[in-house]
Amino acid sequence: MDRAQKTEAVAELNRTFGEVGVVVVTRNLGMTVKQSTDLRNKMREAGASYKVAKNRLAKIAIDGTDYSVLADLLQGPTALSTSIDPVAAAKVVVDFAKTNDKIEIVGGAMGTQLLNADGVKALASLPSLDELRGKIVGLLQAPASKLAAVTQAPASQLARVFKAYAEKEAA
């Protein structure tokens, strides 16, 4: 990798750190190409990304960003998982680590908040942004449907009473 490529890699990583909501640092312990490709595909499906970067370049890229707290975690064969959704990258990495012993969760960060491996696992157990939005919409719609049912109930009761009187007079 020549100087221009390194400069471009640092600039790209720096842009990424400026846009994402979470960064998860993992240690690769001999993953095969197929396993790495599977992880990248799962990340892409979840709206996240997985990148193996040289630690020295990553440390230069995080300098001056909210993620500068990650500098101590970047040792050995590491990879960075990032996503705008604060839960997506953590969820995919934790799920992948459950079935694959060749990847180890080192830690991560949400902005300036440093997370250890247990913090990343706790973050992964939270619902995603889309799930939370769905729950909020459901909660907002529930009172409206209950209100409609309550306001329709007296009208339907009156209709039944009128029908009963009509049937009684007809008999």
Side-chain angles (χ1 to χ4, degrees):
M1 188 180 271
D2 67 356
R3 191 177 222 27
Q5 290 173 323
K6 288 179 182 178
T7 304
E8 178 58 34
V10 168
E12 181 184 337
L13 279 172
N14 192 278
R15 270 193 307 273
T16 301
F17 290 133
E19 298 170 351
V20 297
V22 70
V23 176
V24 178
V25 179
T26 57
R27 184 165 290 124
N28 302 327
L29 307 169
M31 281 189 355
T32 64
V33 173
K34 183 184 180 322
Q35 291 169 332
S36 184
T37 303
D38 289 344
L39 178 57
R40 280 188 173 89
N41 290 337
K42 289 178 182 178
M43 285 284 187
R44 205 171 296 119
E45 289 170 6
S49 69
Y50 176 80
K51 183 168 183 74
V52 176
K54 290 188 177 235
N55 292 334
R56 191 168 36 90
L57 298 179
K59 286 179 183 179
I60 293 169
I62 63 174
D63 192 34
T65 67
D66 289 344
Y67 295 101
S68 59
V69 295
L70 292 173
D72 293 336
L73 300 179
L74 298 173
Q75 297 174 358
T78 59
L80 304 171
S81 303
T82 59
S83 66
I84 294 171
D85 179 355
V87 179
K91 255 188 204 296
V92 174
V93 168
V94 169
D95 288 343
F96 191 80
K98 286 179 185 175
T99 60
N100 191 330
D101 60 345
K102 306 250 180 180
I103 190 167
E104 173 190 350
I105 300 169
V106 177
M110 286 181 62
T112 58
Q113 179 65 44
L114 183 66
L115 304 170
N116 60 11
D118 292 332
V120 172
K121 290 175 184 173
L123 181 63
S125 67
L126 295 174
S128 70
L129 267 170
D130 290 338
E131 291 171 0
L132 286 174
R133 287 179 183 140
K135 286 181 182 181
I136 289 172
V137 168
L139 289 172
L140 291 175
Q141 286 180 343
S145 62
K146 287 180 183 177
L147 181 64
V150 167
T151 57
Q152 288 178 354
S156 63
Q157 289 173 349
L158 280 175
R160 279 188 235 122
V161 169
F162 290 144
K163 181 179 176 188
Y165 278 122
E167 288 174 355
K168 183 178 179 184
E169 287 181 10

